[in-house]
Amino acid sequence: MRILVSNDDGVYSPGIACLARVARRFGEVRVVAPDVEQSAAAHSISITRPVSYRQTPIFGEIEGYRVNGTPADCVALGLFLWERVDVVLSGINLGPNLGYGIWHSGTVAAAKQAALLGVRGIALSTSVVHDEPDFAALEPHVERVLSALLPVDDLPLANVNLPPSPGAMRWTRQSARAYDGKVVPGTDPMGRQHYWFTVEPTIQTEPGTDLWAMEHGDISITPLVLDVTDHGELERLRAEHPLDPEAAP
Ligand code: MN
C-alpha cells in the first residue's frame, strides 16, 4: 500500500512524525507537507505563484518533502509526483477538528484534496491538553484507527479525532448545532486595537456527533462528502419556487 502523508501544522510538527511512523507499518510512505504552519488555511491553493518541492531528511528512512504552499497544494503536488497512491493521511493535527470548525481546517482540506483527485483521504486530529499531545502514548491508538479504516476501501473521505486517552472508536456525524468561531478584540503594545479569531467551546453536544464522542473520551470517525448541495432543499425549492421554466432540468 502506498501512503502519502501531509498536514497543516507543517513538516516539522511532532504530529506528522507520529503519523508517518505509524503509517510505515502499513506500507510505503512519503511525506509531503507545508514548510511552515498553515492551520486554518482550509482548502486554499496557490495560484498566483509557483511552489517548490524540497527533500528533507527529518523522517529518517521515510522520504520527506517540504513545500512552500498550502495543505491542498502539498496533496495535489504529492499525488502529481508520486503515482498509484492508495490513500492520503493528513495530520495528526495539534488540536481537534470538529463540528463547523472543519470548514476552516487545513488538515481536513488535505484529505479533501485527495478525495477530489479520486484518492482516499483520512484526516486525523487530536486534542492539545498541555503544551503538546503525548504522541508516544497516542501511537497504538493511531495504529488501531488505521487498522480499522485502511481496509475500508469504499470510504472516500473520513475525519478522525482522537482524545488524549482514547477509548472506543465510534462512527459519528459532524456536530452542526452551533458555530464556535469568535472574534476577540485586544490591544497591541503600541496601544492599537487588533483582533484575534478564536473559538469559544460549545457547551451543548448532541449524541452521535463528533463533539459528543470526543467529550466521552472516544475516537470520533466521521465520513464526509464533497457535495455540499442541500438535496432536500433543492427538491423543495424546485417544487415551491420554480424559476425560469426553460432553465428547468
Ligand atoms: Mn493545524
Side-chain angles (χ1 to χ4, degrees):
M1 170 170 263
R2 200 167 257 201
I3 304 167
L4 182 73
V5 174
S6 194
N7 76 346
D8 79 354
D9 290 334
V11 74
Y12 303 108
S13 166
I16 200 168
C18 173
L19 185 55
R21 231 175 11 248
V22 177
R24 184 69 193 86
R25 298 168 200 160
F26 295 86
E28 201 183 346
V29 174
R30 183 183 284 188
V31 176
V32 181
D35 57 358
V36 294
E37 185 176 349
Q38 296 281 333
S39 289
H43 209 134
S44 55
I45 52 169
S46 303
I47 60 161
T48 56
R49 60 176 179 84
V51 295
S52 61
Y53 183 76
R54 297 203 170 93
Q55 192 148 19
T56 171
I58 57 166
F59 300 102
E61 61 164 21
I62 299 170
E63 246 185 303
Y65 296 87
R66 61 184 198 274
V67 174
N68 60 340
T70 66
D73 288 343
C74 292
V75 171
L77 189 59
L79 293 177
F80 177 75
L81 293 172
W82 205 29
E83 55 197 14
R84 300 189 315 279
V85 171
D86 296 289
V87 63
V88 172
L89 305 179
S90 175
I92 300 166
N93 191 62
L94 275 70
N97 278 301
L98 303 162
Y100 284 137
I102 70 173
W103 282 98
H104 302 297
S105 172
T107 307
V108 174
K112 276 159 58 196
Q113 183 63 37
L116 284 179
L117 292 167
V119 176
R120 294 167 59 202
I122 301 171
L124 299 105
S125 307
T126 190
S127 317
V128 180
V129 180
H130 303 293
D131 287 345
E132 203 172 273
D134 184 351
F135 284 111
L138 217 51
E139 240 183 72
H141 301 286
V142 176
E143 183 166 354
R144 189 153 59 98
V145 167
L146 295 187
S147 297
L149 293 189
L150 291 181
V152 187
D153 53 15
D154 55 354
L155 173 62
L157 184 57
N159 182 34
V160 180
N161 282 272
L162 300 105
S165 304
M169 290 185 282
R170 291 185 185 278
W171 293 114
T172 59
R173 62 188 166 87
Q174 177 190 13
S175 174
R177 175 172 278 187
Y179 175 60
D180 60 1
K182 201 184 170 198
V183 178
V184 176
T187 312
D188 78 7
M190 270 70 71
R192 295 171 297 204
Q193 185 94 64
H194 61 195
Y195 302 89
W196 282 98
F197 292 102
T198 183
V199 293
E200 192 172 54
T202 309
I203 316 282
Q204 292 173 311
T205 56
E206 294 167 292
T209 62
D210 49 6
L211 266 168
W212 172 84
M214 285 286 277
E215 269 187 7
H216 286 77
D218 290 335
I219 298 172
S220 165
I221 307 176
T222 310
L224 302 179
V225 286
L226 294 172
D227 181 359
V228 294
T229 310
D230 186 336
H231 289 279
E233 269 296 277
L234 182 60
E235 291 312 308
R236 187 187 68 79
L237 290 164
R238 279 183 176 150
E240 293 179 17
H241 304 279
L243 301 176
D244 304 332
E246 63 270 36

